[in-house]
Amino acid sequence: MSVILWLTVILFILMKIVGGDKGIKAFFALFLNFAVFSVSIIVLSFHKNVLTITLIACAIICVINLFFISEINAKTMAAFISTITTLLVLILFIFLIEKKAMIQGFGEEEGEEIGSFSLYIGINFTKIAICTLIMSTIAAIIDISISISSSMNELFAYNPSLSKKNLFYSGLNVGRDILGTTTNTLYFAFLGGYLTLILWFKSLPYSFGDVINSKVFSSEVISILTGGIGVAISIPVTAWISAYILAGRRRKKSGQTARHSG
Amino acid sequence: MKTKFKGMPLKTFCVYILGILGFFLVVYFAYHDCFLYKKTIAEVITTKVVSREESVDLNHNKDTLFSQKMTARIKNGQYKGRLIHLNNSYSSSGAFEQKYHDGTELFVSVQKDRTGLKGTIGGVKRDKEILIVAGLFIFVLLAIGKKRGLLSIISLAINVVLLSFVLDLYLDHRNASLLLLCMGAVVLFTVVSLLLVGGNKEKTYVAILATLIGTFVSLLIAYAVIQLTDGAGLHYESMEFVTIPHQQIFMAEILVGALGAVMDVAITLTSSMYELYERNKAISLKALTAAGRKIGGDIMGAMTNILLFAYVSGTIPMILLYLKNNSPLIYTFSVNLSLELARALTGSIGIVLTIPITLYLSRLFIYRKGDKR
């Protein structure tokens, strides 16, 4: 049996033991997410509209992680809208940076790897770079959105008289509390993947200037920083959208009671 | 009463102004730092597309190839201020080369002939973009996260410096084991990051202990599986930029990569357990454990997903290149994803294992102090 299969079986057993039914659900969600990822790459290979496909893939991933893991309710709905909004802001931001920094595609250091391939394959690699960055942070953004919107819902349930502004600020506070750990998760995941690259640059005679201006290095730096930015901006976005939805729900409710009593 | 500016304390207002000023200073500097470079830098002034050609490669992929002629002004060195002529060819997909626009700064090597200066392009100068993104990163994290944002930035900076230091140490002593060095580094990473996130409290130390046990046990599992199966199905050849033995660096990558997620689980769980206990000191051991397990079950899915996407997404460009060059689907996916999946799975095993470890340790420490039941 291959390494991957063994590790998958071990993970499944552990998730079942530790998480019970929830663990099994989480395992299947993980599997489904990977399936969506694979299918979207295949679609990207013959369909030109990269950004639309990326957004659709992200929306499906949101559906799996929010509506399949929990259910469709006010919390998950708010998290869904917030995640998509954050992604749109992030896409715009990456698009501007990417245009200037030109970090798309492959670097000179990868020449040996890609030497045997035809590079004129008619795919817009600038957009692929945006897709890659968005996909690598999507799960982190979903996680922070659902954490904030659940806490705000709970808070609202205990204190239904909280003003929209206060709800927004408490959402920000919840987000701040988890900002450090979520960004850390991303930082280390990225850093772990860069070990070889850093060793490569360190062991070959590159000057500092060569390294920071090279395509491969600058694209890795920009990915790690955009990941942090994406997680951070999802905090006010989620807090605002959740506050808006909760305040709207209250208005509807008070309108109903007014009608009933009148 | 303190002086306020538009409802903001004057001090905060000054900090913002200073921060924005500092950011613009750094960007201004990055735009004028050519004197620091030994290589010649030229800024493109005019560009003209001189030819355009439709191309169809062996696999029937359509693309358009362009050639552009550019004039650029040299910004440093002995030819400073003089104009130089450059040629560039690129495709509309831009997998390797790209179109250059007015204002792009390029590294060039200069040749002199009777008509003037000619040059070949050695690469794009990207330092200012990196600085701008770094500046925005710092600004966004501080503006939104305040103190937490600052701690997140400090944590990233310290960890990068630590990692760089450990790798230097390894390169200076080639006979040292990279894996052992990284294990040492992991202890430092964990202590530094968790103290920054959780503060100097008992729960932080419990989280540190749980993280280390969880990480090392999951590494051991991965190591055992790889040894037992003789690395079946792992395509080490797909690793890029490799200068040292594959398996060693792969294990080191697994170790560092999963650490953040495992720390997240450990600190989230210990915080919840301690808070539950503080709120209700009479809570029974059984109830506390049940609550902890419920929280653990809730975060397990989210954390494993974060790792999965952070790892596999980087392979998208390469997989597309394979697929467009008519490589078989299964082959393409297994070559490009085997290592990333192994890393994501090992990290996930670490996440799941850390949940019972943290629960057990928190219980141990919570009930050790105070009333023992």
Side-chain angles (χ1 to χ4, degrees):
Chain A
M1 268 208 313
S2 80
V3 174
I4 304 289
L5 202 57
W6 268 108
L7 291 175
T8 311
V9 170
I10 295 174
L11 180 65
F12 177 75
I13 295 171
L14 281 174
M15 281 179 128
K16 166 98 182 62
I17 296 174
V18 175
D21 286 345
K22 234 184 229 170
I24 295 178
K25 217 171 182 183
F27 180 84
F28 278 107
L30 201 61
F31 183 79
L32 280 177
N33 279 323
F34 183 67
V36 172
F37 170 83
S38 309
V39 170
S40 40
I41 297 187
I42 295 168
V43 175
L44 281 174
S45 75
F46 58 76
H47 204 290
K48 290 251 182 247
N49 216 332
V50 176
L51 292 182
T52 315
I53 296 167
T54 307
L55 272 176
I56 294 174
C58 287
I60 300 175
I61 293 164
C62 283
V63 168
I64 295 171
N65 290 323
L66 295 171
F67 303 145
F68 172 71
I69 291 276
S70 320
E71 53 187 12
I72 302 186
N73 53 29
K75 281 189 275 190
T76 48
M77 224 31 224
F80 182 80
I81 299 169
S82 312
T83 308
I84 299 293
T85 315
T86 309
L87 288 184
L88 289 174
V89 177
L90 203 57
I91 286 180
L92 191 73
F93 171 75
I94 301 172
F95 188 76
L96 294 174
I97 289 299
E98 158 59 54
K99 229 182 160 81
K100 283 273 168 202
M102 298 185 242
I103 47 165
Q104 86 291 358
F106 308 96
E108 292 161 48
E109 292 77 8
E110 292 164 292
E112 206 178 308
E113 288 262 349
I114 57 171
S116 55
F117 291 119
S118 155
L119 291 172
Y120 304 130
I121 54 175
I123 286 183
N124 187 333
F125 271 90
T126 308
K127 288 182 182 157
I128 293 293
I130 298 174
C131 164
T132 308
L133 284 179
I134 292 288
M135 293 283 253
S136 60
T137 49
I138 169 86
I141 293 175
I142 295 177
D143 178 38
I144 205 157
S145 293
I146 186 69
S147 306
I148 295 174
S149 89
S150 325
S151 305
M152 286 175 72
N153 261 272
E154 217 152 288
L155 191 74
F156 182 73
Y158 285 113
N159 299 305
S161 57
L162 271 180
S163 73
K164 198 163 140 187
K165 200 174 160 192
N166 281 336
L167 273 170
F168 173 71
Y169 279 112
S170 63
L172 279 189
N173 277 331
V174 174
R176 279 185 197 132
D177 280 344
I178 47 180
L179 175 68
T181 49
T182 309
T183 45
N184 253 346
T185 304
L186 277 187
Y187 297 156
F188 277 101
F190 281 122
L191 282 181
Y194 301 164
L195 272 188
T196 44
L197 183 71
I198 304 173
L199 270 175
W200 164 281
F201 278 125
K202 276 184 184 290
S203 50
L204 297 172
Y206 281 94
S207 73
F208 179 70
D210 292 341
V211 174
I212 61 163
N213 289 299
S214 74
K215 198 194 256 181
V216 272
F217 185 81
S218 46
S219 74
E220 306 289 33
V221 173
I222 288 175
S223 333
I224 206 169
L225 296 177
T226 350
I229 293 174
V231 169
I233 54 177
S234 77
I235 295 174
V237 169
T238 312
W240 193 82
I241 291 177
S242 297
Y244 189 82
I245 292 179
L246 289 173
R249 198 158 30 134
R250 174 172 50 211
R251 226 183 355 263
K252 222 195 251 162
K253 229 182 238 166
S254 60
Q256 275 168 0
T257 30
R259 231 174 301 140
H260 281 301
S261 56
Chain B
M1 217 181 106
K2 280 182 186 164
T3 331
K4 291 198 171 184
F5 188 88
K6 286 190 180 170
M8 204 190 273
L10 190 65
K11 204 176 131 197
T12 322
F13 180 72
C14 288
V15 169
Y16 275 105
I17 292 290
L18 272 179
I20 292 170
L21 265 179
F23 173 65
F24 279 108
L25 263 177
V26 169
V27 172
Y28 179 83
F29 171 77
Y31 270 91
H32 298 86
D33 67 348
C34 293
F35 66 93
L36 288 176
Y37 287 91
K38 275 194 199 122
K39 284 185 179 173
T40 312
I41 296 163
E43 184 184 338
V44 178
I45 311 175
T46 59
T47 76
K48 197 176 149 201
V49 174
V50 288
S51 79
R52 184 198 152 98
E53 188 187 331
E54 302 298 323
S55 106
V56 179
D57 72 6
L58 287 173
N59 305 305
H60 313 290
N61 296 313
K62 287 193 187 98
D63 211 327
T64 316
L65 307 183
F66 299 90
S67 297
Q68 65 177 156
K69 277 193 188 303
M70 295 169 283
T71 331
R73 178 168 282 122
I74 295 178
K75 298 184 79 174
N76 62 349
Q78 55 169 325
Y79 299 112
K80 188 176 174 180
R82 292 182 62 179
L83 294 182
I84 184 170
H85 295 283
L86 302 165
N87 293 320
N88 177 39
S89 45
Y90 61 92
S91 66
S92 57
S93 49
F96 195 67
E97 326 84 341
Q98 61 263 310
K99 183 179 183 175
Y100 297 124
H101 303 274
D102 294 355
T104 310
E105 290 182 315
L106 300 165
F107 290 105
V108 293
S109 50
V110 186
Q111 295 111 36
K112 221 172 163 181
D113 68 6
R114 53 193 166 71
T115 53
L117 297 178
K118 278 167 79 174
T120 39
I121 299 168
V124 183
K125 183 169 171 283
R126 297 184 172 89
D127 54 359
K128 50 185 185 298
E129 282 76 18
I130 292 197
L131 277 169
I132 291 173
V133 179
L136 281 173
F137 167 79
I138 293 172
F139 176 77
V140 169
L141 260 78
L142 285 182
I144 295 172
K146 302 267 161 63
K147 194 181 151 212
R148 301 296 185 133
L150 181 67
L151 291 178
S152 164
I153 297 166
I154 294 175
S155 162
L156 175 64
I158 294 182
N159 288 323
V160 167
V161 171
L162 262 176
L163 184 67
S164 170
F165 174 74
V166 168
L167 295 180
D168 279 338
L169 209 64
Y170 168 71
L171 289 174
D172 289 344
H173 308 82
R174 272 295 185 145
N175 43 1
S177 155
L178 179 65
L179 190 58
L180 280 178
L181 274 173
C182 280
M183 284 182 181
V186 159
V187 177
L188 285 177
F189 286 147
T190 311
V191 172
V192 169
S193 315
L194 284 180
L195 279 178
L196 281 175
V197 169
N200 187 9
K201 290 176 197 146
E202 186 184 274
K203 64 171 189 185
T204 310
Y205 294 98
V206 175
I208 291 175
L209 204 60
T211 304
L212 292 177
I213 298 176
T215 310
F216 287 127
V217 171
S218 63
L219 183 76
L220 204 68
I221 292 178
Y223 185 76
V225 168
I226 291 175
Q227 289 301 317
L228 285 174
T229 56
D230 212 11
L234 288 186
H235 292 267
Y236 287 122
E237 75 273 15
S238 73
M239 268 180 136
E240 294 182 302
F241 317 116
V242 178
T243 40
I244 61 165
H246 289 103
Q247 200 189 330
Q248 215 187 112
I249 192 149
F250 178 60
M251 297 307 285
E253 281 180 359
I254 288 186
L255 194 60
V256 177
L259 192 61
V262 173
M263 285 197 284
D264 190 342
V265 171
I267 194 80
T268 308
L269 270 182
T270 44
S271 298
S272 317
M273 299 277 280
Y274 272 79
E275 203 181 315
L276 283 173
Y277 176 75
E278 294 299 327
R279 262 194 222 166
N280 173 17
K281 299 223 168 167
I283 191 168
S284 73
L285 188 71
K286 215 175 155 191
L288 192 64
T289 313
R293 283 192 67 152
K294 189 175 173 297
I295 300 168
D298 281 339
I299 55 178
M300 180 156 69
M303 297 309 302
T304 46
N305 271 319
I306 295 181
L307 269 197
L308 177 76
F309 281 105
Y311 283 143
V312 298
S313 300
T315 59
I316 295 175
M318 196 60 100
I319 294 183
L320 284 174
L321 189 64
Y322 269 70
L323 289 180
K324 281 302 215 177
N325 278 278
N326 266 356
S327 301
L329 194 65
I330 302 292
Y331 168 78
T332 303
F333 273 78
S334 63
V335 165
N336 286 293
L337 283 170
S338 69
L339 294 180
E340 308 297 334
L341 281 179
R343 268 196 258 165
L345 287 167
T346 312
S348 302
I349 290 174
I351 289 168
V352 180
L353 270 178
T354 307
I355 296 170
I357 295 173
T358 313
L359 289 184
Y360 180 75
L361 286 176
S362 313
R363 261 167 41 187
L364 207 69
F365 276 84
I366 287 175
Y367 287 104
R368 180 191 49 106
K369 62 181 182 184
D371 46 352
K372 293 188 175 95
R373 268 162 299 166

